[in-house]
Amino acid sequence: VLDSGDVIVAAGGTSVLTPGALRTALEAAKPGDTVRLRLRRNGKVVRASFDGALLACIPLDTGMNDEDTGGYL
C-alpha cells in the first residue's frame, strides 16, 4: 500500500525519475506478474510488490507530461 508522501524510485528493477519512466515500467507488467517497487518513505527506502492484474484498475495516463513536473535543478 502506498502512503501519502511516498516517492517511487524504482519499478521492476528500473530506476524511475519521471512519470513517463514509471508509466513505461508499469506498462510492461501483465496480470500474474509480480510488480516490485522501491519507495522512499519517511527518509528510508522500502520495498513493496503487487500483482500486475491490479494495473488494469489504475489509469496510467495521468495527463501529465514529464516537462510539467518540478524538481531540483
Side-chain angles (χ1 to χ4, degrees):
V1 175
L2 295 176
D3 290 337
S4 177
D6 284 352
V7 176
I8 300 172
V9 296
T14 302
S15 293
V16 292
L17 301 175
T18 65
L22 175 60
R23 187 172 38 254
T24 299
L26 294 179
E27 285 173 342
K30 296 174 183 55
D33 290 350
T34 298
V35 179
R36 294 179 185 355
L37 300 177
R38 204 168 52 231
L39 316 166
R40 192 169 38 248
R41 176 181 289 165
N42 299 322
K44 297 180 181 177
V45 175
V46 297
R47 298 177 192 280
S49 61
F50 61 92
D51 188 299
L54 292 175
L55 292 173
C57 303
I58 302 170
L60 292 179
D61 185 4
T62 62
M64 293 175 58
N65 294 318
D66 291 345
E67 295 83 24
D68 294 338
T69 58
Y72 299 106
L73 298 177

